[in-house]
Amino acid sequence: MVTFKLNLLKFNDSNSRKMENFMPDLLDQLNENQRVAASHIDGAMLILAGAGSGKTKTITTRLAYLISEVGIAPSNTLTLTFTNKAANEMRTRALKMLGDAGKNFTPLLCTFHKFGLLFLKFYIDRLGRKNNFVIIDTDDKKRILKGFESNIATPVLASEISNFKNSLLSVEDAAHHAAIEIDEHKFKDGYYARLANIYKLYEEYLAANNLVDFDDLLCLSYKILDEDEALAREISQRYAYIMVDEYQDTNDLQYKLLKKLCLTHENIAVVGDDDQSIYGWRGAKIENILNFKDRFKDVKVIRLEQNYRSTSQILRAANELIDHNRNRLGKELKSTKEGGEEVALIESDDETMESLKVAKRIKKLLSSGVAASEIAILYRINALSRSLEDGLNKEKIPYKMVGGVKFYERAEVKDVISYLRLVANENDDFSLKRVINRPKRGLGKISLAKIEKIAFENKFSLFEAICALDESDKELSKKIVSALDEFAANLKELKECGSAYELIDKLEAKFGIKKYYESLPDGSERVANIDEFYAMIKDQIKQDPSFSIEEFLNEIALQSEQDNIGGEAISIMSIHASKGLEFEHLFVIGLEEGFFPLLGDGSDIEEERRLAYVAITRAKKTLGLSYANSRFYKGQRTRLEKSRFLSEAGVCSGSLIIQTQTQTAGEYKKGDLVKHKIFGIGRVTAVTKIKKELKLTINFGGISRDIMSGFVEKAV
C-alpha cells in the first residue's frame, strides 16, 4: 500500500534522474520486430503478438527500457494484466533486467482489478463511502443473494448483476429497463422487475455494510473518473506510459477505463492476438483490438510473427486454419524450428475407440521416455472428458484435470447419481439431502432441520420422515408438504420401473434435472454433461442385458476412489483452460461438426475457429487431431461429420462449407459504410432480409452490387 501511495500520490523529482548502470545489451536478445516494439517511446502502439512469439519478453523489455534507458520514472508507468500469475512473472523479469536500478523503484504492474482496488482505497470517499471497505468473493456474493427472497436461481442473479455492473447500469437504469419489454415471455413473467428489485436490495446491502464486490473494483473506479474530469486528468498525467497485456480479452468497461487513463496522452501500448480472442462468452470484445488503430491516433502496429514454440508442420496447420476467418487483422506465424512430424489425423468409430487409440499413443510416448507432464489432451466441451477419463483409467494412465472438475464429480452429474442412489435405496439420507431442493421445492435450512428432527425422534430415515408428513402438521407449510409428497411419490413410482432403460427416461420426466440446470448461466454445458451421462448408461444397458444400476453406481464410486494414482500425470483440460500453456506432445479430441465447432444458437463460427487455433498452437513437437464417426449427441448416438477445421487446416481433404455470418436486421442499415474483401469500401443503399440473412445493396465507387451480409464488415 505504501508503494502505491508513493506511485499514486507523490512524485519525487529524484526518481526522474537518469539512472545508473545502463544496459546496452537490453535489446540484444530480441529479434528485429521485438526490438522495434521494445524501444518505442511515445504514442499508441499495437503489438500483434502471435502464439509463442515472445510477447512477455517484449513487453517487459520495453518497461525496463523506458525506465533504465529513457529515464522515465517508474511511478509514471502502469502495466495491466489479467492474472496475478502474469503480473508476477512480468515483475520478476522486469526487475531482473533493471538490476540495481530496480531495487528502489518498483513500477506499478498489476491486474485491472488490483489497480481498481488501489484506486478506490484513495478515492472511494468521493462516492460517500469509507475506504476501509471489504471485498467480497463470489461465494460471499451468492450467500448475500440467497438472503433475498427470490425464485430466480442464485447463480443467475449473480451473473445478471455482474452484467449490469460491467455495462455501467445503475439500480435506476435496471429498474427503467425492467419497465421496457425486452423479452416478451420474461417481461410478462415479471422477471426483469424481480431482477431489478434484487439488484437494488443487493446494492443497498453492500453500501450499508461497506462491502464491494469484484465488479465494483472497476465500475466504481470508472464512475469516479467519469464524474471528476480534473481527477481523471491528474491520474492520466501520473501514468504517462501505459501497457496492457492480452488486450484481446478486454471488455467494454476496461476499454472505457483505459480511455480515461489516456485522457491527457496516448502513450498506450497494448499487446495481444486477435486470433486468440476466445472469451466473447464472458464479455470480452474482440472489437477492442480490431478497432484499436481507429480509436487512438497514429497507432504504430508491430507484428510479432516469429514463433519459438512449435514446429513448422504445426504452424502450417494453424496458419491455414485461421486464414479462413474474415474478421482479423492478419499475420502469419513463422517457425524457428524447421521440419518436425506431420500433424497426425486420428479416426475412430466411436468415443470409446477414440479414447483407447489416444491412450495407446500416450503409452508409447511414456515408454519412450517422454515425461507425463509434457503430454496433454484438449477438448472443446467438458462432456467429452467422460469417455476420455474412462479410457485413461482402463489403461492405468495417471491424469490430472486442469482448470476443471472430473466428470463424475461435477455437480449436475452427482445430482443424477444421487437420484439413482435414492431409487436403489430410498433410505440413503446423504443422497436425499443433496437433491431434496434440486430442483427447488421451497425447502430451506429451517424446514430441512424440522424433517431431520422428525426423523431423529422417530428413528426414521429422512425419506420415511417425509412419507410420514401430514398437511395438518403446523411445523411445515402446506406448500412444502405437498412438494415433498410429490417427491416421495415420484421416487416410489421410479422404483417400480420394469427396466433400467425405462428408469432413465422417467427420471428426467419426473424430476426435470436438466430443466433446473439449463436456467443457470453455464446451463448448456451442464445439460450436455447430463445428456452424456444418460446416454452412456443407455449404451451400457444395450450392450449388457444384465446391467444393474446398483453395480454401475458402485463401479463409479470405486473409480472415483482410485482416480488419484501416484506418480506423474498427463494433463487433460478444455481448450479454454489451456490458454497460455504449452506441451511437447498434444492431442485434441472431438473434432466433429456439432462438437467442434460447437454449433447452435448464439455460436460464433469465427470464435470457434480462433479456439481451434489456440488449441493447435499449444503443441510444440507433435500434434494429434482426433475425430469419431459416431458419438452421443443431444442424448442419443448419432453419426457425425468430421470437423470442417480439419480440412481448413490442410490435415485432410473435405468438402468446403460455406459459412455466412448470420446478422440480425438491425446490424446493417441504409447509409452504413462497409468493407468487402475484393471490392473495398462501399455504402449500403438498401437492406433486404432473406430468412435469417441480409442481402445488402452496396454502392462501390459508383457500381451497385447485391452482396450477402456475411461477406462484408462495417468499415467504421
Side-chain angles (χ1 to χ4, degrees):
M1 186 56 65
V2 174
T3 304
F4 184 77
K5 192 169 183 178
L6 288 170
N7 276 336
L8 196 62
L9 299 178
K10 295 179 181 179
F11 174 65
N12 190 330
D13 288 338
S14 65
N15 288 5
S16 65
R17 71 181 185 273
K18 200 170 184 181
M19 295 186 180
E20 303 296 326
N21 303 322
F22 283 170
M23 289 168 276
D25 62 342
L26 195 61
L27 306 177
D28 288 356
Q29 295 183 3
L30 305 180
N31 64 42
E32 186 180 346
N33 281 10
Q34 288 173 333
R35 280 196 297 275
V36 173
S39 58
H40 174 79
I41 301 172
D42 296 322
M45 175 171 62
L46 168 61
I47 306 171
L48 273 180
S53 63
K55 71 171 180 76
T56 303
K57 186 178 183 180
T58 304
I59 196 171
T60 50
T61 303
R62 180 174 186 261
L63 179 61
Y65 179 85
L66 288 175
I67 295 170
S68 68
E69 297 289 332
V70 182
I72 305 299
S75 58
N76 289 140
T77 69
L78 172 63
T79 306
L80 295 169
T81 68
F82 275 85
T83 64
N84 288 314
K85 182 184 175 185
N88 292 333
E89 183 185 353
M90 285 188 192
R91 187 180 298 106
T92 302
R93 287 197 191 188
L95 292 178
K96 189 177 178 181
M97 290 180 193
L98 288 169
D100 292 339
K103 286 181 179 178
N104 300 316
F105 312 109
T106 305
L108 186 54
L109 203 161
C110 60
T111 64
F112 274 93
H113 290 90
K114 179 65 178 293
F115 175 80
L117 166 63
L118 298 173
F119 179 85
L120 290 181
K121 283 292 182 183
F122 287 95
Y123 297 108
I124 200 170
D125 62 319
R126 299 189 178 216
L127 298 174
R129 303 272 294 269
K130 295 177 181 177
N131 70 352
N132 62 341
F133 58 82
V134 174
I135 303 171
I136 60 169
D137 61 19
T138 305
D139 288 338
D140 294 328
K141 180 179 180 179
K142 288 179 179 177
R143 274 195 291 272
I144 294 167
L145 290 171
K146 278 181 181 177
F148 306 126
E149 289 295 321
S150 175
N151 57 359
I152 303 173
T154 303
V156 175
L157 284 173
S159 177
E160 294 277 24
I161 288 172
S162 185
N163 290 336
F164 285 154
K165 292 191 176 189
N166 280 284
S167 302
L168 297 171
L169 290 177
S170 65
V171 168
E172 293 74 24
D173 293 332
H176 175 69
H177 278 9
I180 302 172
E181 185 176 328
I182 304 168
D183 180 306
E184 187 179 351
H185 176 71
K186 287 186 174 180
F187 181 77
K188 287 180 178 177
D189 191 40
Y191 173 84
Y192 294 113
R194 285 180 280 127
L195 193 61
N197 185 53
I198 295 292
Y199 183 30
K200 180 174 179 288
L201 293 172
Y202 174 72
E203 288 294 90
E204 288 172 351
Y205 184 95
L206 294 191
N209 293 276
N210 202 22
L211 305 173
V212 300
D213 63 21
F214 203 57
D215 298 310
D216 285 333
L217 296 174
L218 294 188
C219 70
L220 294 181
S221 295
Y222 177 81
K223 186 178 179 182
I224 293 167
L225 291 171
D226 190 49
E227 292 176 356
D228 190 337
E229 186 173 343
L231 177 63
R233 296 186 77 84
E234 180 191 331
I235 299 299
S236 177
Q237 287 166 356
R238 190 170 299 142
Y239 296 112
Y241 292 89
I242 296 171
M243 288 192 285
V244 185
D245 189 28
E246 302 287 6
Y247 189 68
Q248 77 279 350
D249 295 335
T250 53
N251 61 22
D252 194 47
L253 176 54
Q254 287 159 337
Y255 162 70
K256 287 179 177 177
L257 187 60
L258 287 168
K259 286 294 284 186
K260 290 293 179 188
L261 295 174
C262 292
L263 195 61
T264 63
H265 63 82
E266 290 202 341
N267 297 330
I268 179 170
V270 302
V271 60
D273 185 359
D274 55 321
D275 292 332
Q276 294 189 71
S277 179
I278 59 174
Y279 296 117
W281 52 276
R282 69 180 189 195
K285 296 283 186 184
I286 190 174
E287 292 80 10
N288 287 354
I289 191 167
L290 293 177
N291 300 333
F292 182 81
K293 54 185 188 297
D294 301 320
R295 292 174 172 178
F296 293 89
K297 296 175 186 174
D298 302 322
V299 174
K300 189 170 191 171
V301 180
I302 308 282
R303 287 172 169 79
L304 303 185
E305 297 176 307
Q306 276 188 268
N307 176 283
Y308 298 91
R309 176 186 298 161
S310 310
T311 66
S312 56
Q313 296 279 8
I314 292 168
L315 290 187
R316 187 180 299 115
N319 286 329
E320 287 189 24
L321 171 71
I322 203 62
D323 196 44
H324 286 76
N325 271 4
R326 301 188 196 115
N327 208 20
R328 63 190 293 258
L329 295 168
K331 65 178 177 316
E332 185 173 345
L333 293 180
K334 302 174 183 68
S335 178
T336 56
K337 303 176 180 177
E338 285 303 315
E341 294 184 24
E342 286 189 8
V343 175
L345 185 64
I346 306 167
E347 180 186 3
S348 306
D349 288 336
D350 56 28
E351 68 279 6
T352 304
M353 187 58 68
E354 178 184 57
S355 64
L356 182 64
K357 283 187 177 181
V358 171
K360 295 286 187 192
R361 288 178 181 242
I362 289 171
K363 267 197 162 179
K364 192 174 178 180
L365 286 170
L366 293 171
S367 63
S368 71
V370 174
S373 58
E374 294 291 348
I375 304 170
I377 308 171
L378 309 183
Y379 38 79
R380 171 63 182 90
I381 59 172
N382 289 319
L384 293 191
S385 81
R386 196 275 309 165
S387 57
L388 185 62
E389 290 179 68
D390 287 351
L392 293 171
N393 282 326
K394 283 175 185 173
E395 292 297 319
K396 294 183 170 54
I397 297 173
Y399 68 92
K400 61 180 179 183
M401 182 84 67
V402 178
V405 180
K406 293 181 177 180
F407 185 81
Y408 294 115
E409 293 171 11
R410 292 169 193 162
E412 59 277 11
V413 175
K414 288 178 81 169
D415 283 352
V416 177
I417 290 171
S418 293
Y419 272 109
L420 291 174
R421 290 193 188 283
L422 280 173
V423 173
N425 175 17
E426 68 271 23
N427 298 320
D428 180 346
D429 284 357
F430 182 79
S431 295
L432 191 143
K433 283 172 75 173
R434 179 176 179 90
V435 299
I436 191 65
N437 218 26
R438 292 188 192 174
K440 288 191 174 184
R441 298 183 178 91
L443 200 74
K445 287 181 181 178
I446 296 170
S447 301
L448 184 59
K450 289 175 181 176
I451 295 169
E452 286 179 321
K453 183 184 174 190
I454 295 169
F456 179 78
E457 290 175 347
N458 293 278
K459 296 182 180 178
F460 286 167
S461 69
L462 289 178
F463 182 79
E464 289 170 330
I466 288 170
C467 292
L469 293 175
D470 192 307
E471 285 195 8
S472 61
D473 195 333
K474 294 179 181 179
E475 289 283 307
L476 296 163
S477 71
K478 286 184 179 180
K479 188 178 178 182
I480 289 175
V481 173
S482 175
L484 291 176
D485 279 347
E486 186 183 356
F487 171 76
N490 285 337
L491 271 182
K492 288 174 180 176
E493 188 176 333
L494 289 175
K495 286 182 76 71
E496 301 302 316
C497 286
S499 69
Y501 206 94
E502 182 190 355
L503 167 61
I504 298 303
D505 280 338
K506 281 193 173 181
L507 179 68
E508 185 57 42
K510 290 292 181 185
F511 293 111
I513 310 165
K514 288 200 298 185
K515 189 177 179 182
Y516 167 73
Y517 275 108
E518 69 186 9
S519 66
L520 302 185
D522 55 350
S524 59
E525 188 79 47
R526 291 178 180 270
V527 169
N529 287 331
I530 295 170
D531 279 335
E532 173 71 14
F533 187 68
Y534 286 154
M536 180 261 298
I537 296 176
K538 287 180 176 180
D539 202 53
Q540 290 200 17
I541 295 168
K542 286 179 181 177
Q543 293 178 27
D544 181 8
S546 62
F547 176 87
S548 160
I549 287 285
E550 290 90 340
E551 286 181 22
F552 169 75
L553 294 172
N554 289 336
E555 283 296 319
I556 289 176
L558 284 172
Q559 185 170 309
S560 300
E561 289 297 317
Q562 294 166 359
D563 273 345
N564 298 319
I565 310 167
E568 265 199 65
I570 70 163
S571 298
I572 68 170
M573 69 194 84
S574 70
I575 298 167
H576 282 102
S578 76
K579 180 93 173 351
L581 303 177
E582 59 183 31
F583 300 92
E584 291 286 332
H585 306 277
L586 186 75
F587 299 89
V588 185
I589 67 166
L591 279 152
E592 306 97 24
E593 292 289 305
F595 282 94
F596 197 14
L598 193 61
L599 302 174
D601 292 340
S603 64
D604 180 342
I605 190 63
E606 294 219 345
E607 182 154 320
E608 290 292 305
R609 193 173 283 111
R610 291 194 294 272
L611 200 55
Y613 176 82
V614 167
I616 290 171
T617 54
R618 298 312 93 198
K620 296 170 70 176
K621 195 172 180 179
T622 69
L623 173 65
L625 302 178
S626 171
Y627 70 96
N629 292 318
S630 83
R631 200 182 290 275
F632 292 120
Y633 186 59
K634 296 182 178 178
Q636 60 184 20
R637 182 161 297 283
T638 307
R639 298 291 297 180
L640 298 167
E641 295 292 326
K642 60 177 178 286
S643 172
R644 71 191 73 183
F645 296 160
L646 294 171
S647 57
E648 289 178 356
V651 178
C652 69
S653 58
S655 58
L656 177 65
I657 297 175
I658 304 294
Q659 181 68 40
T660 56
Q661 300 171 353
T662 57
Q663 304 279 354
T664 61
E667 286 190 62
Y668 287 105
K669 61 184 185 297
K670 188 177 176 180
D672 281 349
L673 278 178
V674 295
K675 184 179 179 182
H676 188 274
K677 191 175 182 180
I678 298 170
F679 305 124
I681 303 291
R683 190 173 295 278
V684 177
T685 58
V687 180
T688 308
K689 193 167 184 181
I690 303 173
K691 294 183 178 179
K692 292 183 178 180
E693 277 276 326
L694 295 179
K695 183 174 75 174
L696 309 178
T697 304
I698 307 167
N699 184 336
F700 294 101
I703 301 172
S704 187
R705 301 179 186 273
D706 289 337
I707 304 286
M708 299 305 290
S709 61
F711 292 85
V712 298
E713 58 185 80
K714 287 189 178 180
V716 289

